[in-house]
Amino acid sequence: MNPPAVSNPSSSPDTDASAREGQSKPANSGDLTSSSLTNSSEVRLSRSRQTWTGAGSAAGFVLRYLPPMRRLLIDVMGSESDADRALAILISHLVKAGYSGHAKGRLRDFLILGLRSAAKARATEIESKAKKAGESVSSRELDLDSAKTESREWLSYWRDGLMQRAWRALEREQHRERTRTQTVESAKIDEVASAESEEPANDLVHDVLRMVTNHSGESSEVIAGRIAELAERSVSAAEVKRQLPIARSLFAQLLADEISLTLEDADAAAIQVEIGNLGLQKAFSGLQVKA
């Protein structure tokens, strides 16, 4: 799944991953990107102190970020198969040695060093196998310029990876809400459950934000029709407008939570800086961002 600002996971590194999310348009009855998003919504930047440096399993935690790592290694190695082998080398090292005392700073900086080492190890492995087979082999050319801490490619892939994880988390939230709603509706004989069932369900948050992102400019009625096909139930324009600001706020919170995991000192100021470094400010546009 992709972020609100990216409708295709293979988007160009030049794409601003949050640009579409923050675009504004003149308010009108069918506009879902302006007046309907001005609700007072709050995002807490540092609501958790859990970070990558405290992960019990280095390899297990790093597996969360395989997509951006693989994309970069394909650039470096020039081959998907070699990129996959380099990834296997890196994960194997993390299984055996963990962070090896280098669990400091930003996770993306730690990983870029590991990716460079893994790419070199794979190149050496290829040369060694060729020599053992009696084949002539030249030194493998690696595009290590793209494997730098602040390279445009790496920042773009990393940003997309974080946003994709936030999308998946939002989808899980939608699934949980749907399950809760269905459970409540099936227990109407219970007075408490019956009362709870009268509360509006927020069971479209992922689909609403996805559709508005991918089909910006369409009226709320058209968006409602698209969502109804996914939800397999009737969906009104009013329901779309009600759940959209909730979806935006929830997505921004999930994104902030994901970013905090990748920092050693995940206080509000550090998270704000990282949001700026990755060009993700527009994902928080119109929201009350607090420490």
Side-chain angles (χ1 to χ4, degrees):
M1 293 294 216
N2 298 316
V6 182
S7 60
N8 189 322
S10 59
S11 58
S12 164
D14 294 330
T15 301
D16 179 350
S18 60
R20 287 177 56 195
E21 177 71 10
Q23 290 175 344
S24 61
K25 301 180 180 180
N28 59 67
S29 59
D31 181 17
L32 295 175
T33 58
S34 54
S35 59
S36 60
L37 297 182
T38 58
N39 291 27
S40 174
S41 299
E42 187 175 288
V43 176
R44 291 283 181 179
L45 291 181
S46 55
R47 66 176 187 172
S48 172
R49 290 296 177 182
Q50 181 185 359
T51 68
W52 71 280
T53 58
S57 168
F61 190 87
V62 167
L63 285 173
R64 299 160 61 101
Y65 304 100
L66 279 185
M69 294 163 63
R70 185 175 188 271
R71 291 176 71 183
L72 185 77
L73 279 173
I74 290 174
D75 287 349
V76 173
M77 305 292 301
S79 161
E80 290 190 11
S81 60
D82 288 336
D84 290 339
R85 174 56 189 155
L87 266 180
I89 291 172
L90 176 57
I91 297 302
S92 176
H93 170 77
L94 290 172
V95 168
K96 296 175 182 176
Y99 294 128
S100 302
H102 299 293
K104 296 180 180 180
R106 298 179 302 204
L107 175 61
R108 62 181 173 89
D109 294 343
F110 169 83
L111 289 179
I112 202 66
L113 295 177
L115 291 171
R116 288 173 65 92
S117 296
K120 292 175 182 177
R122 173 54 180 162
T124 299
E125 186 178 73
I126 293 172
E127 293 175 16
S128 298
K129 287 184 178 180
K131 288 179 181 178
K132 287 182 180 179
E135 302 171 357
S136 59
V137 60
S138 57
S139 298
R140 187 68 176 270
E141 291 293 330
L142 301 176
D143 178 16
L144 293 176
D145 285 339
S146 61
K148 294 180 179 178
T149 55
E150 303 300 323
S151 75
R152 184 175 63 180
E153 293 85 357
W154 178 232
L155 290 180
S156 175
Y157 297 158
W158 186 252
R159 177 176 63 233
D160 287 354
L162 292 174
M163 296 282 270
Q164 287 168 14
R165 286 195 59 80
W167 268 119
R168 288 194 292 272
L170 185 64
E171 190 171 29
R172 288 193 295 271
E173 290 292 335
Q174 174 177 281
H175 176 72
R176 276 194 287 269
E177 179 66 5
R178 258 180 211 175
T179 301
R180 182 195 70 81
T181 302
Q182 291 168 358
T183 301
V184 167
E185 288 178 349
S186 66
K188 285 185 177 180
I189 55 173
D190 185 303
E191 292 182 2
V192 175
S194 180
E196 186 179 358
S197 69
E198 296 176 2
E199 298 178 2
N202 298 319
D203 62 336
L204 301 173
V205 285
H206 172 272
D207 293 347
V208 165
L209 191 56
R210 170 66 72 192
M211 286 301 172
V212 171
T213 297
N214 291 350
H215 303 279
S216 61
E218 291 188 346
S219 70
S220 54
E221 289 76 14
V222 173
I223 292 292
R226 292 183 181 278
I227 296 170
E229 292 182 10
L230 293 176
E232 298 182 338
R233 69 169 175 80
S234 62
V235 177
S236 67
E239 192 172 11
V240 171
K241 288 182 177 181
R242 182 186 67 78
Q243 292 202 43
L244 181 56
I246 297 170
R248 279 198 77 231
S249 178
L250 182 54
F251 181 88
Q253 183 65 69
L254 294 169
L255 181 58
D257 291 346
E258 191 66 38
I259 291 171
S260 72
L261 289 173
T262 69
L263 305 175
E264 179 186 9
D265 298 314
D267 57 25
I271 296 170
Q272 279 278 33
V273 168
E274 186 69 347
I275 289 171
N277 289 338
L278 296 173
L280 292 170
Q281 301 95 322
K282 289 182 180 179
F284 300 85
S285 177
L287 301 173
Q288 294 184 21
V289 180
K290 298 184 177 182

